[in-house]
Amino acid sequence: MYTTSIHTPVGFAVISGNEDGITSVRCSDDPVPESPFVPTILHRCARQLEEYFENRRRSFNLPLHPHGTPFQRAVWQMLAEVPYGKTMSYMELTRRLGDEKAIRAVAAANGKNPIWIIIPCHRIIGSNGDLTGYAGGLGRKKWLLEHEQIANGQLSLF
């Protein structure tokens, strides 16, 4: 596994993977040591994330290989379908997956998302519109949502 990182407006994006694709993108307050060799795909991911933060990218074109259970991967696939600049509630996400009783499991899978921003777990909010749980911290979640709203020509969600 190889690692690189880039500085973003909300901290460092730490990108991990191999020649076959991206296995994780996580946020960090501190830089991490870069692997002596960094595959091209990690550089491509870094460039696409930079474009996202510069408001020049709304979707990503990368091979993703997150590690998780089949249920987690189903939730992450559904997260990837939430459009840029839009939000969805945990309950709506759960309904789309077909079982309202699974809301806690869906929320837990959302929290285990290993590919920050690219699999947009930040776009999932409470049914009442509140920002709830975010592994990167609610400040980062708010920043990301506002970033996407402003890029869409809206002043702010909050």
Side-chain angles (χ1 to χ4, degrees), residues 13-17 21-27 45 49 60 62-68 73 76 79-80 109-122 134-135 144:
V14 180
I15 305 161
S16 298
I22 307 303
T23 57
S24 76
V25 177
R26 62 182 175 84
C27 55
C45 181
L49 284 167
F60 296 87
L62 298 162
L64 304 179
H65 299 292
H67 298 288
R73 289 193 307 267
W76 301 336
L79 292 173
N110 189 53
K112 298 275 188 198
N113 171 22
I115 302 183
W116 183 55
I117 297 175
I118 298 168
I119 298 176
C121 55
H122 62 279
Y134 188 63
L144 293 168

Side-chain angles (χ1 to χ4, degrees), residues 51-111:
E51 292 167 355
Y52 168 87
F53 283 106
E54 294 167 353
N55 291 323
R56 297 186 302 122
R57 177 171 294 276
R58 294 178 178 213
S59 62
F60 296 87
N61 181 17
L62 298 162
L64 304 179
H65 299 292
H67 298 288
T69 67
F71 179 78
Q72 288 171 331
R73 289 193 307 267
V75 171
W76 301 336
Q77 178 60 45
M78 191 67 67
L79 292 173
E81 296 172 13
V82 180
Y84 180 95
K86 303 292 183 187
T87 59
M88 179 184 293
S89 73
Y90 285 97
M91 182 54 76
E92 184 179 349
L93 179 62
T94 303
R95 285 183 181 131
R96 288 187 183 193
L97 286 163
D99 184 3
E100 284 187 23
K101 295 177 185 170
I103 192 163
R104 288 179 189 251
V106 167
N110 189 53

Side-chain angles (χ1 to χ4, degrees), residues 87 122-123 131 141-149:
T87 59
H122 62 279
R123 296 180 188 151
L131 299 185
K141 183 173 187 165
K142 181 179 180 193
W143 192 97
L144 293 168
L145 291 172
E146 287 180 344
H147 170 75
E148 292 181 7
Q149 292 301 310

